[in-house]
Amino acid sequence: MSTPTDEQVHAVDAFRAGHHLSLQAGAGTGKTTTLEMLAASTKRRGRYVAFNKDIACHAATRFPRTVTCRTAHATAYAALGHRYAGRLNGPRQPAWKTGQALGITQPVRIGDHEISHRTLSNTALRAVKRFCYSADRALSRHHVPRLRRLATPAEHTQLADVIFPFAVKAWADLQNPNQGVVHFEHDHYLKMWALTQPKIEADFLFLDEAQDTNPVLEQVFHAQRDHAQLVMVGDSAQAIYGWRGARDVMTAFDDATALPLTRSFRFGPLLAEQANRWLELVEAPIRLTGSETMPTEIGDIANPDAVLCRTNIGAMAEVIQLLTEGRRVALARGGHTLSALALAARDLKEGRRTSHPELVLFTSWGEVQDYAAYDPAGGDLQPFVDLVDTHGPEAILTAVDKLTDDDDADVIVSTAHKAKGREWPMVRIGDDFPPPKNTDQFDAEGRPIPESVNDADARLAYVAITRARQRLDLGGLSWIDTYFKASNAVATTAEGAAPPAASQRSKTETICH
């Protein structure tokens, strides 16, 4: 990209004019390059806030020295979080044990339901987590999550009255930098830092991946507007982390100049056409134009550079199959952590305690299963538990032992979540992207009408297909052709009715990351 596009020129002009900016940057449209152009257009000091450490490190090699590149957590850690370093390395334990230490020892009856002390403990810790994700100044009863069995407002109010004092006690426990009974997490010190109402010393701030921002970071970012020029950049259609409290804050940046970046330099018109189908489904504010110099093809691929899956279970299944075929396989983010956890799982399943620091306090595999399924702090272990329960520890260990590094691999296997921000010449989509089920209705020609595509799944599909540069094998997403034909037929029959709209929640979000 030797010459800036008209859209990039407009962005630079608006930045130099001092406007706050909201840049809707579609997949492959050169958002980092555009931010480099903005930074290079001024001698002022800036901060670039990245989504993760890898992105921050990469950006540091590209931006001028006047721009400091860090994650929000790194910024918070340097200011305050380092005081809690000892607690961050502490072992996990089931929430009921934490609750017991907080004083939750007896069940509570609410209406016709008896709420166990385990559920009460889980709910108290979930309330703290919801508070940490929020922009609220104080923990309150509205942070207590609802329980499905408690259907009436009066029952939830009674639950909140019971839970709130223990949530307050848990948050107070977390304030001690040296010791405590609640497992200390990175989001805890981020919230503590935000509550200090920090002033970030910079003349301008770039917030990357703004579509996946937690309200707590949004609050910190917007609080800098009186002394710094703010620039949000992201792709609303790639908002795929709602399951962990993130939300798309770009559309709420009312006093910013909204500008699009729609020309993709990653792929050609055919793939842009595929991407626009998913952008239509999620009602994204932009549509993409592919580069005429990138003749990306759509079709079968025998030997892909990457296979992208919807879930960790699907990714491991692909790894096992590819290894069986004699391929050299790399698993995104490596397999070392997975191997250590698999060894720990084997010990627990065979009735032995484990020395693994994450699982040292569990006495059985059943306890780990319950912790992952029901404990607010254990959600990140759920994908691993699913892998163990599906394949067994030995199959995982065998597969991990055969993995290679990215640079030496014939093919890289990844979930779509972990593939975000990456790209490969030839990409095949894994088989674990199920099509929507058919409804009990039929079109004018007697064909079943499909249900609407889940919104979260549509966003994940958009991320997955836009990782390819030269050729894309739709694989498990090939059903999209039939879906759009059916949708268009329904729309025609209904005299202009829109195709099925995307629903709002994914039932399997917790196993996708």
Side-chain angles (χ1 to χ4, degrees):
M1 186 171 52
S2 57
T3 304
T5 66
D6 290 343
E7 291 174 332
Q8 290 171 325
V9 171
H10 291 159
V12 172
D13 289 344
F15 178 73
R16 295 185 67 178
H19 300 300
H20 298 312
L21 299 181
S22 175
L23 300 179
Q24 279 283 353
T29 56
K31 65 171 183 174
T32 304
T33 300
T34 304
L35 292 179
E36 287 180 61
M37 293 178 182
L38 303 189
S41 71
T42 181
K43 294 182 179 180
R44 296 177 297 158
R45 296 175 303 118
R47 289 284 191 103
Y48 169 84
V49 182
F51 186 72
N52 61 45
K53 183 177 180 180
D54 290 341
I55 294 175
C57 291
H58 179 66
T61 67
R62 299 181 58 174
F63 281 98
R65 293 182 178 180
T66 52
V67 179
T68 301
C69 302
R70 284 184 175 179
T71 65
H73 283 90
T75 303
Y77 186 85
L80 182 149
H82 63 278
R83 305 173 193 169
Y84 298 84
R87 291 192 64 175
L88 277 169
N89 298 322
R92 298 173 184 259
Q93 68 175 352
W96 67 267
K97 289 187 177 180
T98 302
Q100 194 174 54
L102 293 172
I104 304 175
T105 58
Q106 300 293 327
V108 171
R109 177 160 291 278
I110 297 179
D112 296 330
H113 306 285
E114 183 176 275
I115 313 301
S116 71
H117 70 285
R118 290 175 181 255
T119 299
L120 294 173
S121 300
N122 292 340
T123 306
L125 295 180
R126 286 175 61 198
V128 173
K129 184 177 286 289
R130 284 161 59 93
F131 168 59
C132 288
Y133 285 154
S134 77
D136 298 329
R137 297 287 304 167
L139 201 157
S140 68
R141 284 170 173 77
H142 80 265
H143 295 117
V144 176
R146 294 185 176 275
L147 299 181
R148 291 184 179 181
R149 291 179 295 167
L150 304 182
T152 69
E155 288 176 332
H156 178 70
T157 298
Q158 187 177 348
L159 174 70
D161 288 341
V162 171
I163 293 297
F164 180 64
F166 294 111
V168 170
K169 193 172 182 179
W171 181 242
D173 174 272
L174 290 166
Q175 308 308 304
N176 188 328
N178 300 314
Q179 60 183 0
V181 298
V182 181
H183 181 69
F184 198 93
E185 301 176 13
H186 293 279
D187 287 328
H188 292 145
Y189 69 73
L190 180 67
K191 180 64 175 180
M192 294 175 186
W193 172 68
L195 288 173
T196 67
Q197 297 181 297
K199 179 180 179 180
I200 300 176
E201 296 295 339
D203 299 315
F204 62 87
L205 291 177
F206 293 159
L207 178 61
D208 200 359
E209 301 288 349
Q211 78 281 350
D212 283 321
T213 301
N214 284 335
V216 61
L217 179 56
E218 177 191 9
Q219 180 190 51
V220 172
F221 182 76
H222 281 297
Q224 314 303 313
R225 70 176 63 220
D226 291 339
H227 72 275
Q229 184 181 5
L230 306 183
V231 178
M232 281 187 178
V233 61
D235 183 352
S236 291
Q238 293 192 53
I240 60 175
Y241 287 99
W243 50 269
R244 68 181 189 193
R247 66 175 184 173
D248 178 13
V249 302
M250 299 187 67
T251 54
F253 198 2
D254 295 332
D255 59 345
T257 299
L259 296 174
L261 296 175
T262 60
R263 180 187 171 189
S264 180
F265 299 93
R266 181 180 299 159
F267 45 75
L270 287 179
L271 205 154
E273 182 181 337
Q274 291 288 334
N276 287 337
R277 288 178 163 185
W278 301 100
L279 291 173
E280 178 183 340
L281 287 176
V282 301
E283 300 179 353
I286 61 173
R287 298 294 183 269
L288 296 178
T289 300
S291 174
E292 295 293 344
T293 62
M294 297 287 290
T296 311
E297 300 175 342
I298 310 294
D300 294 342
I301 302 175
N303 298 304
D305 298 295
V307 179
L308 305 184
C309 303
R310 179 170 171 266
T311 66
N312 283 275
I313 293 175
M316 181 53 65
E318 288 285 353
V319 165
I320 294 173
Q321 178 60 38
L322 290 165
L323 288 172
T324 301
E325 297 171 3
R327 307 291 299 281
R328 291 179 298 175
V329 185
L331 182 63
R333 308 278 173 90
H336 302 296
T337 300
L338 190 59
S339 180
L341 284 168
L343 287 170
R346 185 176 65 183
D347 288 340
L348 290 170
K349 288 173 73 70
E350 294 177 354
R352 298 188 300 271
R353 297 292 292 265
T354 176
S355 60
H356 192 289
E358 295 262 9
L359 305 177
V360 67
L361 296 180
F362 294 93
T363 62
S364 70
W365 181 246
E367 280 192 2
V368 178
Q369 290 172 315
D370 289 344
Y371 175 74
Y374 304 114
D375 196 300
D380 59 328
L381 282 179
Q382 187 64 59
F384 168 70
V385 171
D386 291 334
L387 286 176
V388 171
D389 290 342
T390 301
H391 298 288
E394 294 302 332
I396 296 173
L397 289 168
T398 299
V400 169
D401 284 344
K402 295 180 180 179
L403 292 174
T404 186
D405 295 330
D406 286 12
D407 294 339
D408 298 323
D410 299 323
V411 57
I412 296 173
V413 177
S414 174
T415 63
H417 279 94
K418 293 174 183 174
K420 188 175 177 181
R422 302 186 66 179
E423 59 186 65
W424 294 272
M426 296 195 292
V427 172
R428 174 168 64 82
I429 304 301
D431 294 330
D432 61 339
F433 285 85
K437 296 179 180 179
N438 290 326
T439 66
D440 57 1
Q441 300 178 351
F442 298 87
D443 64 18
E445 298 182 11
R447 294 171 298 197
I449 298 173
E451 293 180 353
S452 60
V453 176
N454 181 278
D455 182 76
D457 288 344
R459 294 175 186 276
L460 201 62
Y462 166 71
V463 170
I465 68 167
T466 55
R467 301 306 98 194
R469 295 196 304 266
Q470 297 176 9
R471 189 176 179 90
L472 171 69
D473 184 342
L474 283 169
L477 288 171
S478 296
W479 52 262
I480 190 62
D481 293 328
T482 303
Y483 177 84
F484 262 85
K485 288 178 182 177
S487 299
N488 291 334
V490 172
T492 301
T493 302
E495 297 180 345
S503 60
Q504 296 302 307
R505 294 289 297 171
S506 169
K507 296 179 180 179
T508 56
E509 285 170 347
T510 56
I511 65 171
C512 289
H513 55 94

PDB file of all heavy atoms in Angstrom, residues 7 24-26 29 260-264 286-290:
ATOM      1  N   GLU A   7     -10.180   7.360   1.884  1.00  0.00           N
ATOM      2  CA  GLU A   7     -10.677   7.221   3.250  1.00  0.00           C
ATOM      3  C   GLU A   7      -9.579   7.492   4.264  1.00  0.00           C
ATOM      4  O   GLU A   7      -9.810   8.144   5.292  1.00  0.00           O
ATOM      5  CB  GLU A   7     -11.245   5.814   3.449  1.00  0.00           C
ATOM      6  CG  GLU A   7     -12.535   5.556   2.659  1.00  0.00           C
ATOM      7  CD  GLU A   7     -12.993   4.114   2.769  1.00  0.00           C
ATOM      8  OE1 GLU A   7     -12.130   3.233   2.970  1.00  0.00           O
ATOM      9  OE2 GLU A   7     -14.210   3.863   2.645  1.00  0.00           O
ATOM     10  N   GLN A  24     -14.432   2.974  11.682  1.00  0.00           N
ATOM     11  CA  GLN A  24     -14.954   1.632  11.425  1.00  0.00           C
ATOM     12  C   GLN A  24     -14.060   1.003  10.364  1.00  0.00           C
ATOM     13  O   GLN A  24     -14.150   1.306   9.185  1.00  0.00           O
ATOM     14  CB  GLN A  24     -16.396   1.700  10.919  1.00  0.00           C
ATOM     15  CG  GLN A  24     -17.427   1.866  12.008  1.00  0.00           C
ATOM     16  CD  GLN A  24     -17.699   0.558  12.759  1.00  0.00           C
ATOM     17  OE1 GLN A  24     -17.206  -0.499  12.365  1.00  0.00           O
ATOM     18  NE2 GLN A  24     -18.477   0.637  13.822  1.00  0.00           N
ATOM     19  N   ALA A  25     -13.187   0.091  10.810  1.00  0.00           N
ATOM     20  CA  ALA A  25     -12.184  -0.493   9.928  1.00  0.00           C
ATOM     21  C   ALA A  25     -12.513  -1.961   9.681  1.00  0.00           C
ATOM     22  O   ALA A  25     -12.357  -2.799  10.565  1.00  0.00           O
ATOM     23  CB  ALA A  25     -10.790  -0.362  10.539  1.00  0.00           C
ATOM     24  N   GLY A  26     -12.987  -2.283   8.477  1.00  0.00           N
ATOM     25  CA  GLY A  26     -13.300  -3.655   8.126  1.00  0.00           C
ATOM     26  C   GLY A  26     -12.059  -4.521   8.061  1.00  0.00           C
ATOM     27  O   GLY A  26     -10.922  -4.035   8.123  1.00  0.00           O
ATOM     28  N   THR A  29      -8.425  -3.771   6.194  1.00  0.00           N
ATOM     29  CA  THR A  29      -8.472  -2.436   5.586  1.00  0.00           C
ATOM     30  C   THR A  29      -7.331  -1.529   6.032  1.00  0.00           C
ATOM     31  O   THR A  29      -7.355  -0.330   5.768  1.00  0.00           O
ATOM     32  CB  THR A  29      -9.816  -1.743   5.895  1.00  0.00           C
ATOM     33  OG1 THR A  29     -10.013  -1.700   7.309  1.00  0.00           O
ATOM     34  CG2 THR A  29     -10.969  -2.496   5.244  1.00  0.00           C
ATOM     35  N   PRO A 260     -15.279   5.658   7.785  1.00  0.00           N
ATOM     36  CA  PRO A 260     -15.108   4.243   7.462  1.00  0.00           C
ATOM     37  C   PRO A 260     -13.765   3.952   6.795  1.00  0.00           C
ATOM     38  O   PRO A 260     -13.156   4.814   6.156  1.00  0.00           O
ATOM     39  CB  PRO A 260     -16.246   3.996   6.468  1.00  0.00           C
ATOM     40  CG  PRO A 260     -16.320   5.298   5.699  1.00  0.00           C
ATOM     41  CD  PRO A 260     -15.959   6.395   6.692  1.00  0.00           C
ATOM     42  N   LEU A 261     -13.312   2.707   6.941  1.00  0.00           N
ATOM     43  CA  LEU A 261     -12.211   2.140   6.161  1.00  0.00           C
ATOM     44  C   LEU A 261     -12.762   0.855   5.560  1.00  0.00           C
ATOM     45  O   LEU A 261     -12.948  -0.132   6.274  1.00  0.00           O
ATOM     46  CB  LEU A 261     -10.991   1.857   7.041  1.00  0.00           C
ATOM     47  CG  LEU A 261     -10.306   3.052   7.703  1.00  0.00           C
ATOM     48  CD1 LEU A 261      -9.195   2.575   8.638  1.00  0.00           C
ATOM     49  CD2 LEU A 261      -9.736   4.001   6.655  1.00  0.00           C
ATOM     50  N   THR A 262     -13.026   0.863   4.262  1.00  0.00           N
ATOM     51  CA  THR A 262     -13.775  -0.243   3.656  1.00  0.00           C
ATOM     52  C   THR A 262     -13.024  -0.989   2.565  1.00  0.00           C
ATOM     53  O   THR A 262     -13.472  -2.057   2.146  1.00  0.00           O
ATOM     54  CB  THR A 262     -15.091   0.287   3.042  1.00  0.00           C
ATOM     55  OG1 THR A 262     -14.793   1.271   2.031  1.00  0.00           O
ATOM     56  CG2 THR A 262     -15.974   0.913   4.113  1.00  0.00           C
ATOM     57  N   ARG A 263     -11.902  -0.460   2.112  1.00  0.00           N
ATOM     58  CA  ARG A 263     -11.157  -1.161   1.067  1.00  0.00           C
ATOM     59  C   ARG A 263     -10.170  -2.132   1.716  1.00  0.00           C
ATOM     60  O   ARG A 263      -9.244  -1.715   2.404  1.00  0.00           O
ATOM     61  CB  ARG A 263     -10.393  -0.178   0.180  1.00  0.00           C
ATOM     62  CG  ARG A 263      -9.610  -0.889  -0.931  1.00  0.00           C
ATOM     63  CD  ARG A 263      -8.726   0.070  -1.702  1.00  0.00           C
ATOM     64  NE  ARG A 263      -7.834  -0.635  -2.596  1.00  0.00           N
ATOM     65  CZ  ARG A 263      -6.835  -0.060  -3.276  1.00  0.00           C
ATOM     66  NH1 ARG A 263      -6.622   1.246  -3.139  1.00  0.00           N
ATOM     67  NH2 ARG A 263      -6.065  -0.760  -4.062  1.00  0.00           N
ATOM     68  N   SER A 264     -10.381  -3.423   1.486  1.00  0.00           N
ATOM     69  CA  SER A 264      -9.511  -4.424   2.084  1.00  0.00           C
ATOM     70  C   SER A 264      -8.283  -4.651   1.216  1.00  0.00           C
ATOM     71  O   SER A 264      -8.386  -4.846   0.004  1.00  0.00           O
ATOM     72  CB  SER A 264     -10.255  -5.745   2.257  1.00  0.00           C
ATOM     73  OG  SER A 264      -9.407  -6.709   2.846  1.00  0.00           O
ATOM     74  N   ILE A 286     -20.845  -1.012   7.686  1.00  0.00           N
ATOM     75  CA  ILE A 286     -20.030  -0.892   6.479  1.00  0.00           C
ATOM     76  C   ILE A 286     -20.162  -2.151   5.628  1.00  0.00           C
ATOM     77  O   ILE A 286     -20.626  -3.191   6.092  1.00  0.00           O
ATOM     78  CB  ILE A 286     -18.535  -0.672   6.814  1.00  0.00           C
ATOM     79  CG1 ILE A 286     -17.978  -1.868   7.613  1.00  0.00           C
ATOM     80  CG2 ILE A 286     -18.329   0.641   7.549  1.00  0.00           C
ATOM     81  CD1 ILE A 286     -16.483  -1.807   7.835  1.00  0.00           C
ATOM     82  N   ARG A 287     -19.749  -2.024   4.366  1.00  0.00           N
ATOM     83  CA  ARG A 287     -19.576  -3.160   3.471  1.00  0.00           C
ATOM     84  C   ARG A 287     -18.184  -3.037   2.865  1.00  0.00           C
ATOM     85  O   ARG A 287     -17.670  -1.920   2.667  1.00  0.00           O
ATOM     86  CB  ARG A 287     -20.635  -3.180   2.366  1.00  0.00           C
ATOM     87  CG  ARG A 287     -22.073  -3.316   2.873  1.00  0.00           C
ATOM     88  CD  ARG A 287     -22.330  -4.664   3.529  1.00  0.00           C
ATOM     89  NE  ARG A 287     -23.723  -4.799   3.939  1.00  0.00           N
ATOM     90  CZ  ARG A 287     -24.193  -4.465   5.128  1.00  0.00           C
ATOM     91  NH1 ARG A 287     -23.349  -3.969   6.037  1.00  0.00           N
ATOM     92  NH2 ARG A 287     -25.460  -4.606   5.429  1.00  0.00           N
ATOM     93  N   LEU A 288     -17.558  -4.160   2.561  1.00  0.00           N
ATOM     94  CA  LEU A 288     -16.175  -4.163   2.115  1.00  0.00           C
ATOM     95  C   LEU A 288     -16.045  -4.179   0.599  1.00  0.00           C
ATOM     96  O   LEU A 288     -16.889  -4.720  -0.111  1.00  0.00           O
ATOM     97  CB  LEU A 288     -15.446  -5.381   2.684  1.00  0.00           C
ATOM     98  CG  LEU A 288     -15.303  -5.435   4.204  1.00  0.00           C
ATOM     99  CD1 LEU A 288     -14.592  -6.723   4.613  1.00  0.00           C
ATOM    100  CD2 LEU A 288     -14.545  -4.231   4.723  1.00  0.00           C
ATOM    101  N   THR A 289     -14.939  -3.609   0.135  1.00  0.00           N
ATOM    102  CA  THR A 289     -14.529  -3.692  -1.258  1.00  0.00           C
ATOM    103  C   THR A 289     -13.182  -4.403  -1.305  1.00  0.00           C
ATOM    104  O   THR A 289     -12.249  -4.001  -0.610  1.00  0.00           O
ATOM    105  CB  THR A 289     -14.384  -2.294  -1.886  1.00  0.00           C
ATOM    106  OG1 THR A 289     -15.636  -1.617  -1.808  1.00  0.00           O
ATOM    107  CG2 THR A 289     -13.956  -2.402  -3.342  1.00  0.00           C
ATOM    108  N   GLY A 290     -13.094  -5.462  -2.091  1.00  0.00           N
ATOM    109  CA  GLY A 290     -11.843  -6.197  -2.190  1.00  0.00           C
ATOM    110  C   GLY A 290     -10.857  -5.518  -3.127  1.00  0.00           C
ATOM    111  O   GLY A 290     -11.236  -4.743  -4.008  1.00  0.00           O
TER     112      GLY A 290
END
